Amino acid sequence: MQTLREFTRKTKRGNILKIVREHYLRDDIGCGSDLCQYCFQNEVYQLTSNHDIKSSLFKFPHYIVLDTNVVLDQIDVLEEDVLRNVIVLTTVLNEVKHKSSSIYKRFNEIIHDRKRNFYVFVNEHHKDTYADREPDESANDRNDRAIRLAAKWYDSHLQTSQDSKAFERSGRSVTRVVLLTDDAGNRAKAEAEGILVATAADYVKSLEDYPLLIDKLSQKTFENEKQALPQYPPHLSMKEILEGLRHKKLVQGSFQASRENYLEGNVNVESYEKGILIQGRESLNRAVDGDIVAVELLPESEWSAPSEIVLEEKNVYADDVPSEEREEEEMEMLQQLQAAPVEERTPTGRIVGIVRRKWRQYCGILQPSLIEDTTRHIFVPADRKIPRIRIETRQAANLQNQRIVVTIDSWPRNSRYPHGHFVRSLGALGNMVTENEVILLEHDVPHCKFSEEVLSFLPKMPWTITEEDYAKRVDLRDLCICSVDPPGCTDIDDALHCRELPNGNLEVGVHIADVSHFIRPGNALDKEAAARGTTVYLVGKRIDMVPELLSSNLCSLVGGEERFAFSVVWEVDHQANILSKRFHKSVIKSKRAMTYEEAQAIIDDESQTGEIAKSLRHLNSLAKILKKRRMDNGALVLASPEIRFQVDSETHEPLEVEAKQMRDTNSMVEEFMLLANISVAQHIAAEFTECAVLRRHPKPPTTNFDPLIKAARYQGFEVVTDTGLELAHSLDKCVKADNPYFNTMIRILATRCMMQAVYFISGSLQKEEFFHYGLAAEIYTHFTSPIRRYSDIMVHRLLAASIGADSTYAQLLDRKSNEEICNNLNYRHKMAQYAGRASVALNTHMFFRGKEEDEEGYVLFVRKNALQVLIPKYGLEGTLYLKSDKDGKDGLERTKSEVIFTFNEEDHTQRCGNVIFHSFDPVTVRLSLDSTNVQHEKLVFKLVKPYIKGFSVETTTEVVTPANAQPPAKKSKKHKKKK
């Protein structure tokens, strides 16, 4: 049976086009119920009479039909293994797919779980449930009608099946069908049509055996909330936003909240180099980090400057009443900023509407209400950029000292904080497994186990190299190839060799694991690797991009094992000039896998004269020439404070922490990896001018260098940033005889001025834009780490296709598809970096728990109310607050408040009496861990030297406290109990 669907569409030229489509209706689509006597049934997914759920609203067996809004808003409820026998209409499934791809994916996983008994009913093609769109009926109203029609048909159909004497004799109650919808209009119409109907909230609250499921309900509003006065301006409607954007009265961009000041943020807009500054609670107007927002630019006379103040929100409870202190903080900050010098002011605006929310699930802890036996609580996210969230939960006592996950549902004008609901608990606060899970979730790192489908594409073990494989590859097993990596490395991507040729020249080879041989394009393994994008390294933990069988076994170039490789081989003279190069797939057998330290020891030990020692010495001498050549071309030597942990193998807690050491062998490996990457980039860009995967590092805007130039100028140095070469030379000159760490700090500041390096497709940019600023390379890509970077797999495939070692395929040459992959890789790479830093911070806190140490450090920045201090020994950076805490609980802090620091905006210094703090000044600080805020444990920096009476701590082994103060340890415990 078929019907015709007719609709009209307006063309670009304004013509009206009538479109007629055939729509087939069938009478053989089963209802999926084991109660039915008439339909053909699919036994895999069927509604059964075995799962009876007790509801005080519907005290009889029933199936559930879901409305679209219930799926979109209550997915966390649906994911709980409570609701069974659910009818999923294709109308609903298609609407969910159209409105939210992430929820559609989660909903599909529930549907495919056979234990849950979710049955997809193809109502759009069933002759009794198809609803044709009526004249003047909106698509939404038509879909609502289709859902009601299907629910009514199901109820009638099942009652007919149960209307028999045999069923009556069984004594069972008749199974009915209940429609769940949160749309008031749809609910009213359903009731008028005689359909059993309820809201999702009412239904969940009626479930007698699952009282805690209420916590997972999406909270759009709280009871009695409408009585509260508005705290924020109203948002413009989408129609008003589009009108404003069209007439250029508004601009659109991505909102980024500040980590350091909860009353400040920035909107990234293409036409504004530094974005648009947003300050003050009303101007922020309920935007959450990541939201796409509409901004109204303020008149230039009202522009402001970014705040130098570090401001954290504290003393927050679920009463939702703004305290006078918080109002004072906001007024004080805005007054200071209005007085900022004109030259420091930047474009400033206010958020007037939300184009698209980017809400996700957030990790954090519950802060209980001060009111006993209340269900309303404040959730404090782990990410400081996210506001507190109001939730309702009946299990607050059980969730104390637990890391939990919460999602945002709405943010009404009359609520200081957004409303959300509890999703799940992750585990005990402070537990290393739990805290690592928080880091991975907060940085959106895919870390679930590889699925059976993905694992099915791995080679079957035992795996061996066949004669056919040897015939297709260059046999390099006899060469003295070795690898040099960090200690404990099991995913060895690269190996090197260097040997003398009969003509007196040298042959140098870089051999990279041939991962693309095992991961074929388009299969589940390939898609999973592309989605993950990169391996993520936490302290003592690694989240692999590819399954361990490949990463640590078949692809890893371990010593003494035959492995597939992709080799780049050069002939060079002793001055490192490249005479020829070739690319080929090979079979290698690494003679030895060494650490950087072991390789360095072999190079330095003159008694070592073996083949490996000769190879390493040649490589080392060539690397030094290559590095000097790069430096002369303007490559930058940047710095970042990095530390390494020794981790307990059982508890996974840090035992020792130290700054990472850099040896010649680190640089040696780096130089040849850079050379291989550049050589491959040149080759694939020439072969595939439109679709080569490359990596660029844009030159930073001039204004990015302002903090660096100012900081150097205060120290009497002039930093020139017109070109990379001039910047490199300027950094080399920044040397102080009395401060050996000064040059490193200047380079750390220079690193923070840089842009993010990104992957791109060659056909999307002009050749002049290919430039890699940091490396001073005309063209660059990533080829040398395919075990841990998907970009390198893409490059391997391009290179293999260009030399005839592998076949090409459509997607490899599809620019648009590859651009989308590159965008994901850029995002995943950035998140992996942030996750790694968060892991270092976590382990640093673990290391300092229960310890106090006095360490030498340097002032990195001078702020209005704090000094940013760097500790070279540990590569740590922290804040030494100069403004006392108004909530100080002990005598020591009250004494501090009498000390007055004066900030000089001209030369960025802080003065207290005769003591003046400049950037890069040496200081001695006492490091300890403040655990009073269990959510955000932080390292506390207290000044030891220079000594300021009433502010600095004493240099004795015990911290001096007033007579009436408790000893530190006891005070801390007492304080914790109060919390």
Side-chain angles (χ1 to χ4, degrees), residues 25-304:
L25 300 179
R26 296 167 55 179
D27 58 4
D28 60 345
I29 297 173
C31 67
S33 172
D34 63 356
L35 296 169
C36 181
Q37 301 173 19
Y38 305 107
C39 296
F40 167 77
Q41 300 299 350
N42 177 348
E43 294 184 7
V44 179
Y45 301 108
Q46 65 177 10
L47 306 164
T48 71
S49 50
N50 298 330
H51 302 297
D52 204 3
I53 191 163
K54 292 179 182 177
S55 164
S56 58
L57 278 179
F58 307 103
K59 298 182 178 181
F60 43 78
H62 54 273
Y63 297 158
I64 298 166
V65 173
L66 301 173
D67 195 358
T68 307
N69 51 32
V70 172
V71 178
L72 291 171
D73 294 338
Q74 309 295 353
I75 188 67
D76 292 317
V77 171
L78 298 176
E79 283 181 327
E80 287 297 301
D81 191 8
V82 173
L83 301 187
R84 304 286 182 95
N85 288 330
V86 176
I87 300 161
V88 180
L89 305 177
T90 50
T91 304
V92 171
L93 204 56
N94 291 335
E95 274 196 290
V96 171
K97 185 178 182 180
H98 177 69
K99 291 184 176 180
S100 173
S101 59
S102 60
I103 290 177
Y104 175 74
K105 185 179 177 183
R106 291 167 67 184
F107 193 44
N108 248 328
E109 287 176 4
I110 301 170
I111 292 169
H112 286 94
D113 183 353
R114 298 182 185 184
K115 298 190 295 291
R116 295 296 305 276
N117 300 100
F118 275 56
Y119 181 75
V120 177
F121 178 62
V122 190
N123 65 305
E124 292 291 357
H125 289 277
H126 193 288
K127 67 180 180 63
D128 295 326
T129 59
Y130 173 70
D132 207 355
R133 189 167 166 183
E134 295 175 351
D136 302 323
E137 186 179 37
S138 71
N140 188 57
D141 287 346
R142 180 263 163 201
N143 288 342
D144 285 347
R145 187 163 57 85
I147 292 166
R148 294 196 305 273
L149 180 63
K152 190 168 185 177
W153 175 83
Y154 246 107
D155 193 38
S156 171
H157 178 73
L158 290 177
Q159 285 191 66
T160 304
S161 292
Q162 297 169 91
D163 187 16
S164 68
K165 290 183 179 179
F167 188 84
E168 282 180 23
R169 284 196 298 271
S170 71
R172 287 188 294 167
S173 300
V174 174
T175 298
R176 301 289 303 277
V177 173
V178 175
L179 172 63
L180 298 187
T181 176
D182 290 336
D183 183 324
N186 195 25
R187 199 162 59 250
K189 289 176 182 177
E191 287 172 348
E193 293 171 16
I195 299 169
L196 297 174
V197 64
T199 66
D202 287 344
Y203 183 78
V204 169
K205 288 172 184 174
S206 77
L207 300 180
E208 297 170 7
D209 296 333
Y210 304 99
L212 296 181
L213 193 61
I214 300 169
D215 287 358
K216 302 207 170 191
L217 283 169
S218 172
Q219 296 286 357
K220 297 287 185 185
T221 57
F222 286 113
E223 291 176 16
N224 306 322
E225 172 185 74
K226 292 178 181 178
Q227 300 171 9
L229 293 172
Q231 298 192 31
Y232 296 94
H235 284 152
L236 298 181
S237 67
M238 187 53 69
K239 184 179 178 182
E240 290 170 318
I241 290 172
L242 293 173
E243 192 74 15
L245 292 171
R246 189 162 57 248
H247 292 102
K248 299 191 175 175
K249 291 179 181 177
L250 304 176
V251 291
Q252 175 181 313
S254 174
F255 174 68
Q256 284 190 319
S258 167
R259 287 183 190 277
E260 297 182 335
N261 188 336
Y262 74 97
L263 295 174
E264 191 168 275
N266 198 67
V267 176
N268 295 324
V269 180
E270 282 185 16
S271 51
Y272 291 83
E273 193 176 273
K274 283 192 168 182
I276 297 174
L277 185 65
I278 311 292
Q279 290 176 324
R281 198 163 46 82
E282 289 195 1
S283 293
L284 292 169
N285 199 6
R286 295 170 283 157
V288 176
D289 187 64
D291 286 350
I292 307 299
V293 298
V295 177
E296 180 182 63
L297 202 64
L298 296 176
E300 200 163 333
S301 59
E302 296 179 32
W303 286 6
S304 183

